[in-house]
Amino acid sequence: MSALEEATRMRKERLREMFAAQRKTGSESTDVATMPNATMPNATGDSTDTVPTVEASVSGIVEETLAIQREEAQRTDLDIASIAPKRANWDLKRDLQKKLDALKPLNDAAVADLIRKRVQESNGTEGLADAVEAHMRSSRI
């Protein structure tokens, strides 16, 4: 028997002797058995718990919390916003950017060519600024 088991056995014996002595003297005011929420050791050495334990009092709260978390998980799993990408067309922009970069110099060259042709049509007597103003007036109409 280990030292801890021996100490436990000795304490139980002392408690039994104390309870027996109190019963013989008839002192009911200090009787542990009559006190509320008191426990007495039984024949096997285990005590009967009449005081609720922390685990018992928390078990209902734990179950409620788990149920709430399950409901939250189900709601977020079915939410369309969580399924849809935040930037729906980012991959299209990424793929097309290379092609757009190649077309940009061609576009700039075409715009410059159109400006040259308009300047030549105006017989070249007008300045470039006048040609731009004429183009702006014609585009407003």
Side-chain angles (χ1 to χ4, degrees):
M1 213 186 277
S2 71
L4 187 60
E5 291 173 341
E6 182 65 27
T8 304
R9 189 185 58 77
M10 298 277 292
R11 181 175 179 272
K12 286 180 182 179
E13 286 178 15
R14 280 195 313 258
L15 285 172
R16 284 188 192 119
E17 290 172 2
M18 183 180 73
F19 290 136
Q22 285 178 351
R23 285 190 191 123
K24 287 179 184 176
T25 60
S27 169
E28 293 182 17
S29 62
T30 59
D31 192 5
V32 178
T34 60
M35 291 183 189
N37 296 333
T39 60
M40 295 285 294
N42 58 14
T44 62
D46 296 331
S47 62
T48 58
D49 291 330
T50 58
V51 179
T53 61
V54 175
E55 292 83 8
S57 62
V58 175
S59 66
I61 297 171
V62 170
E63 291 170 4
E64 290 174 11
T65 306
L66 289 174
I68 290 170
Q69 287 177 348
R70 282 187 213 115
E71 290 173 9
E72 290 270 333
Q74 287 176 352
R75 275 189 252 147
T76 56
D77 288 345
L78 299 176
D79 189 17
I80 300 296
S82 66
I83 296 171
K86 293 180 182 173
R87 298 185 303 164
N89 58 356
W90 71 272
D91 57 339
L92 296 174
K93 288 181 180 179
R94 181 196 64 209
D95 293 342
L96 290 176
Q97 191 62 41
K98 294 175 188 174
K99 295 177 183 178
L100 289 174
D101 290 342
L103 290 175
K104 186 168 172 81
L106 296 174
N107 188 29
D108 292 343
V111 169
D113 189 39
L114 286 173
I115 291 173
R116 273 191 219 107
K117 284 182 183 177
R118 287 213 178 147
V119 170
Q120 287 175 356
E121 287 175 4
S122 65
N123 294 330
T125 56
E126 298 176 6
L128 183 61
D130 294 335
V132 171
E133 286 179 23
H135 173 67
M136 294 295 282
R137 277 185 258 134
S138 66
S139 65
R140 288 184 194 162
I141 296 175

